[in-house]
Amino acid sequence: CGCDFTESIKGIGPKTALNGIRKHGSIEALVETLNKTRYAVPEDFPIREVRQLLSNPEVVDTDNLTIDWNMELDKDGVVQFLVKEKGFSEQRVRGGLESLAKARKQKPQASLTDFFANYARQKTTTNSQDGKKPTTNSQDDKKPTTSSQDAKRNATTEVGGRRSRRKTA
């Protein structure tokens, strides 16, 4: 039992904690009923403070918030906030800032839409060696078929509640 803001009670996981709180009505009542020899409750277990923090978190008004993703990174401001005010490791923060700065200089990853657009373009480009138009799989190039052959080729089947085209030769 615990969270990011406190030490945990060894041997009490989320399920046991939730069941105990439901049974006893509150975490304070649960802690009072614990076998102290089996479950060591930390002496400075700040139940009230954690409850206050989780019940009334510090919230930013996002209605008037704007973010400029192209602005220059304020490394000193980030270090000041995370290291000096919040107690993060300065080495890890600076390493993360270096990784972020490096990533911002790289070209963004291509999207799946770009891949398919390029693939389609490659299929329709002309062959520069002979100057001929590319061949396509149009219906004009195929020999005529009878209506029963068309019906077989275009048949749909119901599979698991979904309609799918059945391809036949």
Side-chain angles (χ1 to χ4, degrees), residues 37-100:
T37 57
R38 183 171 178 196
Y39 302 107
V41 179
E43 288 184 33
D44 60 344
F45 197 66
I47 296 171
R48 287 190 196 104
E49 292 85 352
V50 171
R51 177 178 282 121
Q52 177 63 30
L53 182 65
L54 295 175
S55 299
N56 302 309
E58 203 176 298
V59 181
V60 174
D61 176 22
T62 59
D63 291 337
N64 300 318
L65 181 68
T66 59
I67 298 174
D68 181 4
W69 294 105
N70 297 317
M71 71 182 279
E72 188 64 32
L73 186 61
D74 180 10
K75 293 180 182 179
D76 293 332
V78 173
V79 170
Q80 171 67 31
F81 176 71
L82 292 177
V83 176
K84 307 290 189 235
E85 294 179 32
K86 300 298 180 184
F88 283 73
S89 161
E90 185 169 354
Q91 181 181 5
R92 292 188 71 190
V93 169
R94 291 200 183 276
L97 289 170
E98 287 175 23
S99 297
L100 178 62

Side-chain angles (χ1 to χ4, degrees), residues 123-150:
K123 291 288 238 184
T124 59
T125 57
T126 60
N127 185 339
S128 61
Q129 293 174 350
D130 60 9
K132 293 181 181 178
K133 282 188 173 181
T135 59
T136 60
N137 293 332
S138 69
Q139 292 293 334
D140 297 337
D141 297 339
K142 295 180 182 176
K143 64 180 182 180
T145 59
T146 64
S147 60
S148 64
Q149 287 174 326
D150 287 337

